Amino acid sequence: MVGSPTIDAVLTQNCTAKQDQRAEPRTVDGGRGTVNCDSGTYEFGTITPNALDIDGNGKVDALTDGLLIIRYLIGLTGNTLIDGVVAKDAIRTTTTEIEAWLLTQKTSNILEIDGNTNTSALTDGLLLIRYLFGLRGHALISDVVDNDATRTTPAEIEARIQSLLNL
């Protein structure tokens, strides 16, 4: 539960189990800004079905998760990042929780879509939100893919995003 004292309560060096009872990684930032183990039977930060579910409500939606990604990638933080876009049934609802989740996804290259190793709002962010709005084929990639991208075709971009949705 958000705000629980069990989140990130066990120092990583004292955490002997590498996985929780669901076989999810044991050391994940549960929203307190540290990568320690939770003292419960499962790791709080791993309860979403995939990495693009930014607010943790079990769905990936353009008007919530997509906008959170775009806003984060253009540099918005605090309330300007989350105002009006967090789903009513979200698990991650605070700026701290959402920024920590987004930072994890960015540093893990999850949000890097076109393959050029540079995560950008105007390329990767737009590709994600276009896909989440249902655009496919040329409409998905038109005027968005970077010149130095390694994924340049609609099929490559769609496959990358689909693989993230199935994590």
Side-chain angles (χ1 to χ4, degrees):
M1 175 179 188
V2 175
S4 170
T6 64
I7 296 171
D8 296 335
V10 180
L11 295 176
T12 301
Q13 61 265 28
N14 297 333
C15 184
T16 56
K18 299 296 180 203
Q19 297 178 330
D20 68 12
Q21 71 178 17
R22 300 162 303 150
E24 294 291 335
R26 199 59 168 140
T27 53
V28 174
D29 180 14
R32 295 186 180 221
T34 59
V35 183
N36 289 329
C37 293
D38 294 350
S39 62
T41 57
Y42 70 89
E43 201 63 16
F44 178 75
T46 64
I47 60 176
T48 58
N50 67 62
L52 297 179
D53 181 12
I54 306 305
D55 59 11
N57 67 345
K59 300 172 277 211
V60 179
D61 185 89
L63 293 176
T64 56
D65 307 297
L67 288 176
L68 286 167
I69 291 168
I70 290 278
R71 287 179 176 188
Y72 179 78
L73 292 177
I74 63 172
L76 297 181
T77 59
N79 287 335
T80 56
L81 171 65
I82 67 169
D83 278 349
V85 297
V86 178
K88 291 183 190 324
D89 60 347
I91 291 172
R92 284 184 282 278
T93 59
T94 69
T95 58
T96 302
E97 294 166 328
I98 290 172
E99 287 176 18
W101 185 259
L102 284 162
L103 176 62
T104 300
Q105 304 323 311
K106 184 177 180 187
T107 57
S108 300
N109 288 323
I110 297 293
L111 302 179
E112 207 294 298
I113 304 301
D114 63 4
N116 68 350
T117 70
N118 178 32
T119 306
S120 166
L122 296 177
T123 55
D124 306 295
L126 284 175
L127 288 166
L128 280 168
I129 204 161
R130 283 180 176 186
Y131 186 91
L132 294 175
F133 272 120
L135 277 67
R136 301 294 186 271
H138 186 67
L140 173 65
I141 68 166
S142 180
D143 298 322
V144 176
V145 178
D146 261 345
N147 293 333
D148 62 346
T150 60
R151 294 182 198 100
T152 58
T153 68
E156 291 169 325
I157 298 294
E158 290 171 21
R160 167 66 176 157
I161 296 170
Q162 192 58 48
S163 75
L164 296 174
L165 292 171
N166 292 328
L167 282 180

